[in-house]
Coordinates of all heavy atoms in Angstrom, one line a residue:
L1 N -15.3 -56.4 -93.2 CA -14.2 -57.3 -93.4 C -14.6 -58.8 -93.2 O -15.5 -59.0 -92.3 CB -13.1 -56.9 -92.5 CG -12.5 -55.5 -92.6 CD1 -11.4 -55.2 -91.6 CD2 -12.1 -55.3 -94.0
P2 N -14.0 -59.7 -93.9 CA -14.4 -61.1 -93.8 C -13.9 -61.7 -92.4 O -12.8 -61.5 -92.0 CB -13.6 -61.8 -94.9 CG -12.5 -60.9 -95.3 CD -13.0 -59.5 -94.9
T3 N -14.8 -62.3 -91.7 CA -14.5 -63.0 -90.4 C -15.2 -64.3 -90.4 O -16.4 -64.4 -90.6 CB -15.1 -62.1 -89.3 OG1 -14.6 -60.8 -89.4 CG2 -14.7 -62.7 -88.0
P4 N -14.4 -65.4 -90.3 CA -15.1 -66.7 -90.2 C -15.9 -66.9 -88.9 O -15.6 -66.2 -87.9 CB -13.9 -67.7 -90.2 CG -12.6 -66.9 -90.1 CD -13.0 -65.4 -90.2
A5 N -16.9 -67.7 -89.0 CA -17.7 -68.0 -87.8 C -16.9 -68.7 -86.8 O -15.9 -69.4 -87.1 CB -18.9 -68.8 -88.3
D6 N -17.4 -68.6 -85.5 CA -16.8 -69.4 -84.4 C -17.4 -70.8 -84.5 O -18.6 -70.9 -84.4 CB -17.1 -68.7 -83.1 CG -16.6 -69.4 -81.9 OD1 -16.0 -70.5 -82.1 OD2 -16.8 -68.9 -80.8
P7 N -16.6 -71.8 -84.7 CA -17.2 -73.2 -84.8 C -18.0 -73.6 -83.6 O -18.8 -74.4 -83.7 CB -15.9 -74.1 -85.0 CG -14.8 -73.2 -85.4 CD -15.1 -71.8 -84.9
A8 N -17.7 -73.0 -82.5 CA -18.4 -73.3 -81.2 C -19.8 -72.7 -81.2 O -20.6 -73.0 -80.3 CB -17.6 -72.9 -80.0
S9 N -20.1 -71.8 -82.1 CA -21.4 -71.1 -82.2 C -22.1 -71.5 -83.4 O -22.2 -70.7 -84.4 CB -21.2 -69.6 -82.1 OG -20.5 -69.2 -81.0
P10 N -22.8 -72.6 -83.4 CA -23.5 -73.1 -84.7 C -24.6 -72.2 -85.1 O -25.0 -72.3 -86.3 CB -23.9 -74.5 -84.3 CG -24.0 -74.5 -82.8 CD -23.0 -73.6 -82.3
D11 N -25.1 -71.4 -84.2 CA -26.3 -70.5 -84.6 C -25.8 -69.2 -85.2 O -26.7 -68.3 -85.5 CB -27.2 -70.3 -83.4 CG -27.8 -71.6 -82.9 OD1 -28.0 -72.5 -83.8 OD2 -28.2 -71.7 -81.7
Q12 N -24.5 -68.9 -85.2 CA -24.0 -67.7 -85.7 C -24.5 -67.5 -87.2 O -24.4 -68.4 -88.0 CB -22.5 -67.6 -85.7 CG -21.9 -66.3 -86.0 CD -20.4 -66.3 -85.7 OE1 -19.9 -67.2 -85.1 NE2 -19.7 -65.3 -86.1
E13 N -25.0 -66.3 -87.5 CA -25.6 -66.0 -88.8 C -24.6 -65.8 -89.9 O -24.9 -66.0 -91.0 CB -26.5 -64.8 -88.6 CG -27.8 -65.0 -87.8 CD -28.7 -65.9 -88.5 OE1 -28.9 -65.8 -89.7 OE2 -29.2 -66.8 -87.8
V14 N -23.4 -65.3 -89.6 CA -22.5 -65.0 -90.7 C -21.2 -65.7 -90.4 O -20.8 -66.0 -89.3 CB -22.2 -63.4 -90.8 CG1 -23.5 -62.7 -91.2 CG2 -21.7 -62.8 -89.5
G15 N -20.4 -65.9 -91.5 CA -19.1 -66.4 -91.4 C -19.0 -67.9 -91.7 O -17.9 -68.4 -91.7
R16 N -20.1 -68.6 -91.8 CA -20.0 -70.1 -92.0 C -19.4 -70.4 -93.3 O -18.7 -71.4 -93.5 CB -21.4 -70.7 -91.8 CG -21.9 -70.6 -90.4 CD -23.2 -71.2 -90.2 NE -24.2 -70.4 -90.9 CZ -25.5 -70.4 -90.8 NH1 -26.0 -71.3 -90.1 NH2 -26.3 -69.6 -91.4
G17 N -19.7 -69.6 -94.4 CA -19.1 -69.9 -95.7 C -17.6 -69.8 -95.7 O -16.9 -70.5 -96.4
L18 N -17.1 -68.9 -94.9 CA -15.6 -68.8 -94.8 C -15.0 -70.0 -94.1 O -13.9 -70.3 -94.4 CB -15.2 -67.5 -94.1 CG -15.5 -66.2 -94.9 CD1 -15.2 -65.0 -94.1 CD2 -14.7 -66.2 -96.2
L19 N -15.7 -70.6 -93.2 CA -15.2 -71.8 -92.6 C -15.1 -72.9 -93.7 O -14.2 -73.7 -93.7 CB -16.2 -72.3 -91.5 CG -16.1 -71.5 -90.2 CD1 -17.2 -72.1 -89.2 CD2 -14.7 -71.6 -89.6
L20 N -16.1 -72.9 -94.6 CA -16.1 -73.9 -95.7 C -14.9 -73.6 -96.6 O -14.2 -74.5 -97.0 CB -17.4 -73.8 -96.4 CG -17.7 -74.8 -97.5 CD1 -17.6 -76.2 -97.0 CD2 -19.0 -74.5 -98.1
V21 N -14.7 -72.3 -96.9 CA -13.5 -71.9 -97.7 C -12.2 -72.4 -97.1 O -11.4 -72.9 -97.7 CB -13.5 -70.4 -98.0 CG1 -12.2 -69.9 -98.6 CG2 -14.7 -70.0 -98.9
A22 N -12.1 -72.1 -95.8 CA -10.9 -72.6 -95.1 C -10.7 -74.1 -95.1 O -9.6 -74.6 -95.2 CB -11.0 -72.1 -93.6
A23 N -11.8 -74.8 -95.0 CA -11.7 -76.3 -95.1 C -11.4 -76.8 -96.5 O -10.7 -77.8 -96.6 CB -13.0 -76.9 -94.6
L24 N -11.8 -76.1 -97.5 CA -11.6 -76.6 -98.9 C -10.3 -76.2 -99.5 O -9.8 -76.9 -100.4 CB -12.8 -76.1 -99.8 CG -14.1 -76.6 -99.5 CD1 -15.2 -75.9 -100.4 CD2 -14.2 -78.1 -99.8
T25 N -9.7 -75.1 -99.0 CA -8.6 -74.6 -99.7 C -7.3 -74.7 -98.7 O -7.5 -75.0 -97.6 CB -8.7 -73.1 -100.1 OG1 -9.0 -72.3 -98.9 CG2 -9.9 -72.9 -101.0

């Protein structure tokens, strides 16, 4: 399931793209 990355964890390997999707849409 899709899970956005935790913005407080910049080294997190997955979910950063969903943060971008959330920011753009």
Side-chain angles (χ1 to χ4, degrees):
L1 303 179
T3 306
D6 178 358
S9 301
D11 295 334
Q12 190 172 347
E13 289 293 316
V14 295
R16 291 179 293 191
L18 290 174
L19 288 176
L20 188 58
V21 169
L24 292 172
T25 62

